Amino acid sequence: MMNQKSKFLMFLFLIFALFHSPERIQAQRVVKNADLGWKFHLGDIPEASQTSYNDASWRKPDVPHDWSIEGDYSASNPTGNRSGYLPSGIGWYRRVIEMPESWKGKLVNIEFEGVYMNSEVWLNGEKIGGRPYGYSSFTCDLTGKLKPGKNILAVRVDNTLEPSARWYHGCGIYGHVFLVAKNQVHIPFSGVFVKTPTVSADLAMVNAAVEVKNSSAAATSVQVQYEVVAPNGSSVGKTIANASIAAGDMQTVNQEIKVTNPMLWSIETPQLYSLKTTITQNGQPIDEVTTPFGFRSLRFDANEGFFLNEKHVKIMGVCEHQGGSPSGAAIPEALLERRLQQLKDMGCNSIRAAHNPQLPAFYDLCDRMGILVMDEIFDGWHQKATHDYGGRFFKEWWQRDVTDWVRRDRNHPSVIFWSIGNETGKADENGMTPFIHLLDDTRPTTGGAVIDGVDVAGFNGGIVPKDAVLEDFHRNNPNTPIVLTEEPHTFQTRGFYKTVNEVFKSIDSLKDYASPEVFIGGHTAYRSSYDNCGRRLVARNCWQRTDSRPWIIGEYRWTGFDYIGEAGWAGNESLAREFNFGVLDLAGFPKDHYYFYQSIWTETPMVHLLPHWTHPGLEGKTIPVVAYTNADEVELFQDGKSLGRKQKSDLFECVWQVSYKAGELKAVAYKAGKKVAETVQRTSGTPAKLEIVTDNQNLKADRNDIALVSLAVRDAQGVLVPNADQQIALAFTGPVKWSGGENGDPVDITPQRELTRKVFNGLSRGFFAGKDGETGGVEVYALGVLGEPYFGETTTVTIALERVALRGSLSGETPEIRYTTDGSVPNLNSMKYTKLFSVKATSSVKAAAFLNGKELASTFSIFTRGNRPVAVEKKVVRENMGEAEDPDQKTTKPKRGKK
């Protein structure tokens, strides 16, 4: 017999169990990540849609997954230069879905964040949906089709018709996948819209529109409970509304909530609130959705520019494609966050999603980091690439794709524009602007080179300093705000320089940094890292115009990061994979333009010098030396001797003409007469050291965590060798996933998954990810054969083996190095490397590292007795260079569609 106390405790336990048991949780919405457990096959197998098909031999990748980036670069791939010569084709994905007993009677959807492209989805052999557009998030309804126990989901992705875009697009399920089970009465996908019509430091109003759908066969009455939650987790406002909904009907329930003393969302302080919406029926919660949002106001003035929370903000933006090498389209959130932080550190405050919606994580990160977004839906409304969405699917699908896009992204405070297209027509010929305003009336529309029928006129390219295109438009359209949606287009290859301007198709009057050309040679795909290579104008005079005209909202330069694709631009003759548009390269290493923008977009004192100061053969030649700074003036020293102070020119730079000799250049920046920053460039010697560092020495046992491992070839004094190109082999031990390597070289077509690749101009990088639940030490090794590749009588060779821990401490086991000098493959019986050595004749030196008797890594270098050959020099064409291959102008010219 239980006493009164025991009965009371049992009563409390039952109450607790009622409200906290798994079944109680299951009574509401269940969201399950479905990234794991997939199988994949490259190639078309129509019978793979059927449950009876045996997929035991298929690969087992997790999603997000991009099969294209895993392949080889080849001129025979149908993607061609548009997508960087990577493979496409048809891919199949399959996985098992277990239906728990608690899902009986529920509505079940599967949500795909991104599948590129032309996807079809089957469940147990029945086709249940799909999406032609590769950049739309979409759902498929599994309700009534799931059976108890195991179910087979199959996804076919068809990228046989290529090129399907004008840039690298990836192939496969490149976004996350979720299974969602909910009750018959529920909030549908993207069914919450949070507006903040009144915003001030004292008071803000939340206008919450919540869709409630009744999929049951009977009418019902529900309560909709709204709660605003502050960034610190406290509740700052609540309200309740009643709704009666007929069977099969949906009702939008609107409520207003007052919030006093709100913390505003801004670039500097991106404060995020959330709206917690709970649907209750008969006093019991049956669905719940939490929606992040921010309190902020937007104002676009045709004369004064853009205002965020009534504070004037000049847009300092970049354009960015989806994805990032070497992950391709399936970029991990941790890597994306690093890339966004690099842009923010440069001073960038806004990103144009070019030329399609990005994955949801991009917007979440921009919300959290305080980065404004121009959200863009289409590249074209008609054919631009041979087999693109515009030519194949636009007419039938655009309204649904626009609807899903706006509904998905409309709660993000970071999103300040809707861009309806890119260089697809100067007018909104489809009436997208009024269509979008029916879905969201809180933001303006714009478009790349779309100036009529949109709220903010967008200008791409086609503008040179001597023209008055913008001034004429502003004068003739005094009530229309203006933004430079894609300007300037400039090119740089990290560490490569030319002093003669290469401004394509331009009447730009900029003077050469030096003429005749100082630097001889260079690959046809490389472009100068002085600010003298662009289309129509360069970064300096573009920002000079943007900054001096308050009625220009700002500019989005093309681009932030280099991206794979558009590799045939400007008549490029080689099998290049990209064309140098970014201010950071494919590996994420900054170019000189990065520091130019930092000097005009940031306030923390900085100074940067270019070019590097290692130019053998140019002794006695005059080299232009440029300093970028956000201080008042810069003093340049050569080997300790002052070459004078200079104030910044009207084009934001200081320039000296310096006679080259090996040694040191130092720049000292002054503000109000006080030294605030300095930087040094030193001449490097023979490659003798290999540096390996990581940005993450505590890699989590989580596939979503990443570590970047950076490699640098340095001389004996630790100076970066800026023309080094040695092959470096990577190896690793422990539970870690190799995600790929990158060096930023536009013409290096080494497959992204290879562990051995050269450094490019002294640098390269490897990308690693954790493994779920797998702990233990992780080490990465780098092996290189270093020395002067061309020499006179003799040269010194160093075989460097360096390592870094990504988790734990370095082990006590040191690999041994064996090598040969005759080109033969080294083994455990070959010469053991203990110290540097010399070679006097042309030699192929091969090295291998062995750990516990097993080969860990191997690489080689060739040392040639004789002079370094001069690289093939590219032809400098000042007028009409590559007009036919301009990625934003070479399009099929269809007839205008009807509105």
Side-chain angles (χ1 to χ4, degrees):
M1 295 288 293
M2 288 191 296
N3 58 30
Q4 289 297 111
K5 183 177 180 181
S6 297
K7 290 180 179 180
F8 180 71
L9 290 174
M10 178 61 72
F11 173 75
L12 290 179
F13 174 79
L14 292 173
I15 293 296
F16 179 85
L18 175 64
F19 284 94
H20 297 279
S21 70
E23 283 302 313
R24 172 71 181 176
I25 296 172
Q26 294 293 327
Q28 299 181 38
R29 175 180 299 238
V30 178
V31 179
K32 180 181 178 182
N33 181 278
D35 288 349
L36 306 181
W38 291 90
K39 293 185 177 182
F40 171 74
H41 175 80
L42 182 57
D44 197 14
I45 306 178
E47 56 269 30
S49 65
Q50 301 302 306
T51 57
S52 59
Y53 178 78
N54 185 353
D55 58 16
S57 63
W58 287 20
R59 286 178 52 200
K60 297 180 179 180
D62 298 331
V63 302
H65 175 240
D66 175 1
W67 83 68
S68 183
I69 200 69
E70 299 174 340
D72 292 344
Y73 296 93
S74 173
S76 64
N77 285 327
T79 53
N81 64 52
R82 294 288 195 180
S83 290
Y85 302 101
L86 281 163
S88 54
I90 295 175
W92 278 89
Y93 296 85
R94 283 168 56 97
R95 64 157 293 149
V96 172
I97 295 177
E98 294 275 0
M99 180 181 172
E101 188 72 19
S102 59
W103 285 12
K104 280 187 177 180
K106 285 186 175 291
L107 307 176
V108 183
N109 289 343
I110 187 165
E111 299 177 359
F112 294 92
E113 289 188 343
V115 186
Y116 196 94
M117 66 174 281
N118 203 23
S119 59
E120 298 171 291
V121 183
W122 282 266
L123 181 68
N124 297 329
E126 178 185 351
K127 187 175 179 181
I128 58 171
R131 198 63 163 248
Y133 195 32
Y135 296 111
S136 281
S137 298
F138 66 96
T139 68
C140 295
D141 189 4
L142 311 184
T143 307
K145 301 176 179 65
L146 286 170
K147 59 184 182 181
K150 293 184 178 181
N151 297 263
I152 301 298
L153 186 80
V155 182
R156 181 180 187 266
V157 184
D158 185 354
N159 289 305
T160 49
L161 297 179
E162 294 283 0
S164 61
R166 297 182 303 114
W167 53 84
Y168 179 77
H169 49 67
C171 295
I173 303 176
Y174 67 91
H176 293 296
V177 182
F178 296 94
L179 284 166
V180 181
K182 50 199 173 187
N183 286 312
Q184 297 287 326
V185 180
H186 63 277
I187 301 170
F189 185 62
S190 300
V192 178
F193 185 17
V194 183
K195 300 182 185 181
T196 56
T198 302
V199 173
S200 72
D202 300 322
L203 177 68
M205 296 298 296
V206 174
N207 184 319
V210 177
E211 295 172 352
V212 182
K213 188 170 184 179
N214 179 10
S215 296
S216 71
T220 188
S221 295
V222 298
Q223 278 192 330
V224 184
Q225 300 177 0
Y226 306 80
E227 181 181 13
V228 177
V229 180
N232 64 4
S234 63
S235 178
V236 294
K238 292 182 179 180
T239 189
I240 296 176
N242 296 314
S244 298
I245 310 169
D249 200 3
M250 185 174 73
Q251 187 176 134
T252 300
V253 185
N254 292 280
Q255 284 288 288
E256 284 195 338
I257 306 169
K258 182 187 297 183
V259 176
T260 58
N261 303 315
M263 294 179 285
L264 303 188
W265 187 95
S266 68
I267 296 166
E268 299 78 16
T269 56
Q271 300 286 354
L272 283 175
Y273 286 72
S274 60
L275 177 70
K276 181 180 175 182
T277 307
T278 305
I279 309 297
T280 64
Q281 190 177 45
N282 300 322
Q284 298 296 317
I286 58 173
D287 198 10
E288 187 173 283
V289 171
T290 298
T291 307
F293 72 98
F295 289 109
R296 57 101 178 100
S297 65
L298 311 176
R299 180 163 65 88
F300 297 83
D301 188 278
N303 294 306
E304 298 180 2
F306 168 62
F307 293 80
L308 177 65
N309 302 327
E310 291 305 318
K311 176 184 175 182
H312 182 262
V313 175
K314 182 74 84 170
I315 295 295
M316 300 179 287
V318 301
C319 301
E320 280 292 289
H321 277 310
Q322 161 68 36
S325 174
S327 306
I331 182 170
E333 282 88 340
L335 177 56
L336 178 59
E337 183 172 8
R338 284 165 169 81
R339 287 163 61 99
L340 292 176
Q341 189 61 55
Q342 283 184 280
L343 292 173
K344 185 143 187 171
D345 291 345
M346 185 183 75
C348 171
N349 62 17
S350 189
I351 295 173
R352 177 188 179 203
H355 298 295
N356 45 262
Q358 300 220 6
L359 288 169
F362 167 79
Y363 305 94
D364 293 338
L365 285 168
C366 289
D367 287 347
R368 296 201 328 249
M369 299 172 71
I371 300 174
L372 306 171
V373 175
M374 177 184 289
D375 205 358
E376 191 158 277
I377 181 62
F378 301 124
D379 182 30
W381 310 325
H382 42 61
Q383 181 188 358
K384 296 175 78 173
T386 309
H387 300 290
D388 65 2
Y389 170 91
R392 295 169 64 190
F393 303 112
F394 175 82
K395 290 182 179 179
E396 178 184 356
W397 280 89
W398 79 260
Q399 290 189 351
R400 181 171 178 182
D401 284 321
V402 167
T403 299
D404 290 350
W405 164 62
V406 172
R407 284 171 58 87
R408 188 195 72 174
D409 294 348
R410 62 189 175 180
N411 292 310
H412 289 286
S414 59
V415 175
I416 62 170
F417 296 100
W418 301 117
S419 176
I420 64 175
N422 174 66
E423 294 179 348
T424 191
K426 290 186 176 181
D428 179 6
E429 60 193 46
N430 300 289
M432 287 189 194
T433 292
F435 185 82
I436 288 172
H437 287 333
L438 292 175
L439 301 165
D440 172 27
D441 59 359
T442 70
R443 299 170 177 88
T445 62
T446 187
V450 184
I451 59 177
D452 295 327
V454 288
D455 302 311
V456 178
F459 285 84
N460 279 23
I463 307 167
V464 294
K466 291 183 179 179
D467 284 351
V469 173
L470 296 176
E471 287 75 10
D472 290 345
F473 182 89
H474 178 57
R475 183 178 60 255
N476 296 328
N477 302 272
N479 298 317
T480 303
I482 292 172
V483 64
L484 305 185
T485 39
E486 192 174 310
E487 197 72 85
H489 304 81
T490 63
F491 318 99
Q492 286 191 343
T493 303
R494 175 175 53 78
F496 179 80
Y497 299 93
K498 290 289 184 180
T499 61
V500 174
N501 292 343
E502 298 177 293
V503 184
F504 308 156
K505 188 66 176 177
S506 175
I507 56 173
D508 199 315
S509 59
L510 284 177
K511 294 180 180 179
D512 293 331
Y513 280 99
S515 183
E517 180 59 59
V518 174
F519 300 101
I520 304 302
H523 197 283
T524 56
Y526 295 167
R527 291 294 180 264
S528 173
S529 286
Y530 288 107
D531 182 35
N532 60 354
C533 186
R535 183 162 185 81
R536 302 183 180 89
L537 72 169
V538 294
R540 290 169 293 151
N541 55 24
C542 186
W543 184 251
Q544 182 187 54
R545 180 194 56 205
T546 300
D547 191 45
S548 64
R549 290 157 174 77
W551 43 267
I552 297 178
I553 288 171
E555 69 182 38
Y556 291 89
R557 69 150 285 118
W558 190 265
T559 54
F561 283 80
D562 280 349
Y563 57 92
I564 296 173
E566 293 191 284
W569 206 92
N572 189 17
E573 299 170 359
S574 62
L575 188 62
R577 56 199 174 115
E578 56 104 0
F579 196 72
N580 299 276
F581 287 102
V583 293
L584 297 108
D585 69 15
L586 287 169
F589 293 118
K591 307 179 191 180
D592 290 297
H593 260 156
Y594 181 92
Y595 301 101
F596 166 74
Y597 284 105
Q598 197 172 65
S599 75
I600 59 174
W601 289 354
T602 69
E603 295 180 356
T604 302
M606 57 77 62
V607 62
H608 174 73
L609 271 183
L610 65 135
H612 60 74
W613 207 235
T614 303
H615 305 288
L618 293 185
E619 288 77 9
K621 298 286 187 182
T622 299
I623 294 178
V625 174
V626 179
Y628 299 138
T629 184
N630 52 15
D632 301 329
E633 55 184 356
V634 178
E635 186 172 12
L636 183 68
F637 296 85
Q638 184 176 26
D639 299 328
K641 180 182 178 181
S642 176
L643 301 183
R645 290 194 188 190
K646 290 182 180 288
Q647 293 184 338
K648 287 185 292 185
S649 70
D650 292 341
L651 291 176
F652 316 105
E653 64 184 1
C654 304
V655 183
W656 296 260
Q657 299 294 331
V658 181
S659 178
Y660 176 70
K661 62 177 179 178
E664 177 188 277
L665 291 180
K666 181 170 75 171
V668 178
Y670 301 88
K671 192 173 185 67
K674 182 181 179 181
K675 175 182 171 181
V676 293
E678 68 175 50
T679 188
V680 173
Q681 293 279 16
R682 295 186 178 92
T683 305
S684 70
T686 297
K689 291 182 178 180
L690 182 58
E691 178 185 73
I692 180 170
V693 296
T694 181
D695 68 343
N696 186 356
Q697 291 187 301
N698 190 26
L699 185 69
K700 298 175 184 176
D702 179 349
R703 68 191 179 96
N704 297 310
D705 195 21
I706 65 166
L708 275 56
V709 174
S710 300
L711 306 173
V713 172
R714 299 186 179 275
D715 69 7
Q717 284 69 48
V719 177
L720 178 72
V721 182
N723 54 6
D725 61 356
Q726 283 80 11
Q727 294 275 349
I728 307 299
L730 290 178
F732 55 89
T733 58
V736 69
K737 177 185 176 183
W738 167 243
S739 299
E742 183 55 75
N743 60 15
D745 185 352
V747 297
D748 185 350
I749 56 173
T750 304
Q752 301 288 166
R753 295 298 185 264
E754 289 288 332
L755 278 160
T756 300
R757 73 173 56 234
K758 68 175 185 176
V759 294
F760 176 59
N761 289 340
L763 301 173
S764 68
R765 185 166 273 165
F767 298 75
F768 295 85
K771 289 188 173 181
D772 289 338
E774 296 190 32
T775 59
V778 175
E779 293 185 36
V780 176
Y781 302 79
L783 177 68
V785 180
L786 310 179
E788 207 62 66
Y790 296 90
F791 63 94
E793 295 296 320
T794 185
T795 190
T796 300
V797 177
T798 301
I799 302 177
L801 177 67
E802 300 294 338
R803 56 182 177 153
V804 67
L806 305 188
R807 185 193 303 134
S809 302
L810 291 174
S811 68
E813 297 178 312
T814 303
E816 64 175 4
I817 301 172
R818 303 284 178 162
Y819 74 98
T820 63
T821 59
D822 59 2
S824 61
V825 177
N827 56 43
L828 286 169
N829 296 318
S830 301
M831 292 180 287
K832 185 175 181 179
Y833 178 79
T834 57
K835 62 181 180 179
L836 53 83
F837 59 91
S838 298
V839 296
K840 297 181 179 180
T842 297
S843 305
S844 175
V845 178
K846 294 187 176 181
F850 294 88
L851 185 64
N852 298 323
K854 294 183 179 180
E855 184 177 301
L856 184 68
S858 63
T859 189
F860 72 97
S861 285
I862 296 175
F863 300 94
T864 303
R865 183 168 178 171
N867 296 323
R868 181 188 294 268
V870 176
V872 176
E873 177 138 18
K874 64 184 175 185
K875 186 181 293 183
V876 176
V877 182
R878 296 174 183 267
E879 297 291 338
N880 199 31
M881 184 170 183
E883 175 69 14
E885 289 296 323
D886 183 338
D888 290 323
Q889 302 299 332
K890 185 183 178 183
T891 63
T892 304
K893 301 292 185 180
K895 295 180 180 179
R896 283 286 182 89
K898 295 180 179 179
K899 289 189 178 182

